[in-house]
Amino acid sequence: MTDKAWKVLGFAIACGSAVWIGTADVQAAKSEPSVKTGSPVAGISVYMDQYQESVKQEGSETSAGLTQEKMRYGTFNSIFQNLGVSVVEDSLNIRKEPKNDAEIVGKLRNHAGSSVLSEENGWYKIKSGQVTGYVYGKYLTTGQDARAIAYYNMKLMLRVDTETLRVRSKPNTDSEVLGKIHEGETYPFVSNNGGWAKIQYNGQSAYAYVPDNATVAFTIPEAERCSDIRSQVVNYAVGFVGNPYRWGGTNPNTGADCSGFIQYVMEHAAGVHLDRTSRQQAEEGEVIMASSMEPGDLLFYASGRQIDHVAMYIGKGKIVHAANRRSGIKISTWNYRKPVTIRRVIP
């Protein structure tokens, strides 16, 4: 039986005549979904097992070299623990606390996946991708129902299993570095050649060398961070203006250099993990033009050919940066020096 046929069969058995209807969260709810979380569906586990085996067999034939090159291969089971799948018309808000007026930290699109960590007064605490928070339980299905939805919607993706991986324009170490991808992130997987995985990265084809560094798996989308994360990052960063510069420092509360300041802000305000030095950070994310800058983007400057300074764009032509011992952390105009490259590390 074909891959599509198994998906349709599993979905039909699990769903029956049920119709899922939902909205962003309980505040805007029009009606409750008919799927009940955790409800078992007779016989579905048999079809899941059969489908799993068909996926493995087909994958070994069509994804040449996956096992030979020691590339890890799995399914969404290797990514999500205690699977929860959103069932909504558009998207499900992930909130910082289990209450309707709490800050929104991310969103799950319809049929996106998560790991359910706990349940509290009708809310689930979940982790999905780089986002951890709470969703209203009426719009997250679990158990066999979640597995059936996942089987029907999953696609072949590459998930990063190491802290960072360089992404290159061609499958060799001499080609241009387009950026870096980080632990827990997933990207559409196209093919494998000699350990180089071809993926879709920021709207283009790119390559990452992945044996033992990533898992190629049939899985479903994860959470998206909220777009207003940019304003949160900027507000957090400018709160350190006036604090001291300290060479080698990584905490702007007590003193930080330029890259230590950026690393600290991104980690604490956005959950984005960056390397330590400005030269390393200049390989992170994606390259953008000055005309496309948004608050939270990073600008890199050089003395001669070597990058030696990084700053954060905060909007209206301004940057915040740990400038030097004399000035400390301050706000400047973005083109007080000509940047060598501008990078976007916040999705």
Side-chain angles (χ1 to χ4, degrees):
M1 188 174 288
T2 66
D3 176 63
K4 182 67 176 180
W6 279 118
K7 289 186 178 182
V8 173
L9 180 59
F11 184 75
I13 292 173
C15 299
S17 60
V19 177
W20 287 284
I21 301 174
T23 53
D25 58 23
V26 68
Q27 288 179 301
K30 295 179 180 178
S31 60
E32 296 183 13
S34 57
V35 172
K36 298 186 181 300
T37 58
S39 56
V41 180
I44 192 66
S45 60
V46 175
Y47 290 96
M48 294 301 163
D49 292 341
Q50 291 175 346
Y51 177 78
Q52 182 104 346
E53 288 304 313
S54 72
V55 166
K56 288 180 180 178
Q57 292 172 8
E58 184 173 327
S60 62
E61 296 170 1
T62 60
S63 300
L66 280 176
T67 55
Q68 296 174 356
E69 297 295 340
K70 299 181 180 178
M71 190 181 296
R72 296 193 185 102
Y73 183 65
T75 70
F76 62 85
N77 295 317
S78 63
I79 293 179
F80 301 114
Q81 301 298 320
N82 300 318
L83 177 68
V85 177
S86 57
V87 185
V88 290
E89 291 179 349
D90 183 17
S91 62
L92 177 62
N93 290 332
I94 305 173
R95 297 185 179 271
K96 192 172 184 179
E97 300 175 75
K99 53 185 181 181
N100 296 333
D101 57 352
E103 175 188 343
I104 298 173
V105 296
K107 291 180 181 292
L108 288 175
R109 298 296 178 184
N110 187 36
H111 293 172
S114 65
S115 292
V116 178
L117 305 178
S118 62
E119 185 177 4
E120 181 179 335
N121 297 324
W123 293 77
Y124 285 117
K125 184 177 183 180
I126 65 164
K127 183 179 188 308
S128 181
Q130 303 299 304
V131 181
T132 299
Y134 295 85
V135 297
Y136 195 64
K138 288 184 178 180
Y139 307 107
L140 192 81
T141 188
T142 61
Q144 296 283 31
D145 296 327
R147 288 171 57 80
I149 295 172
Y151 269 103
Y152 185 76
N153 289 279
M154 63 187 181
K155 297 179 180 179
L156 196 58
M157 305 283 283
L158 179 139
R159 180 181 175 88
V160 182
D161 295 333
T162 190
E163 187 173 349
T164 56
L165 276 178
R166 288 185 175 88
V167 180
R168 297 183 180 273
S169 59
K170 296 179 181 179
N172 61 69
T173 55
D174 296 326
S175 60
E176 178 189 2
V177 175
L178 301 177
K180 291 185 179 180
I181 54 182
H182 302 273
E183 186 172 8
E185 295 177 348
T186 57
Y187 295 88
F189 175 82
V190 180
S191 63
N192 171 55
N193 181 13
W196 287 91
K198 184 178 182 181
I199 62 173
Q200 287 297 310
Y201 174 74
N202 295 327
Q204 63 180 311
S205 295
Y207 298 86
Y209 190 69
V210 301
D212 298 324
N213 295 323
T215 298
V216 175
F218 281 97
T219 188
I220 54 178
E222 296 177 304
E224 304 169 3
R225 288 195 186 97
C226 287
S227 58
D228 64 355
I229 191 67
R230 292 182 173 274
S231 61
Q232 295 176 33
V233 169
V234 167
N235 291 336
Y236 187 74
V238 298
F240 295 107
V241 170
N243 286 12
Y245 175 99
R246 183 166 66 85
W247 175 258
T250 58
N251 187 338
N253 291 291
T254 56
D257 60 21
C258 64
S259 56
F261 170 61
I262 295 300
Q263 183 188 51
Y264 185 95
V265 169
M266 285 296 182
E267 171 76 23
H268 288 79
V272 173
H273 308 284
L274 298 179
D275 285 331
R276 175 62 185 91
T277 70
S278 58
R279 290 189 296 277
Q280 292 171 322
Q281 292 173 3
E283 295 183 352
E284 305 270 11
E286 62 176 311
V287 179
I288 61 170
M289 303 295 291
S291 58
S292 301
M293 284 192 300
E294 296 180 21
D297 290 336
L298 304 182
L299 297 88
F300 295 87
Y301 305 87
S303 296
R305 295 183 177 181
Q306 187 168 324
I307 289 174
D308 61 1
H309 192 64
V310 57
M312 177 186 294
Y313 187 66
I314 60 174
K316 298 183 179 179
K318 302 291 185 181
I319 57 171
V320 61
H321 57 144
N324 49 52
R325 289 186 179 89
R326 179 172 54 84
S327 302
I329 298 174
K330 62 180 289 189
I331 292 175
S332 306
T333 55
W334 73 274
N335 56 355
Y336 82 106
R337 294 164 64 188
K338 184 178 180 180
V340 174
T341 184
I342 305 172
R343 314 288 294 202
R344 176 160 294 161
V345 298
I346 299 175

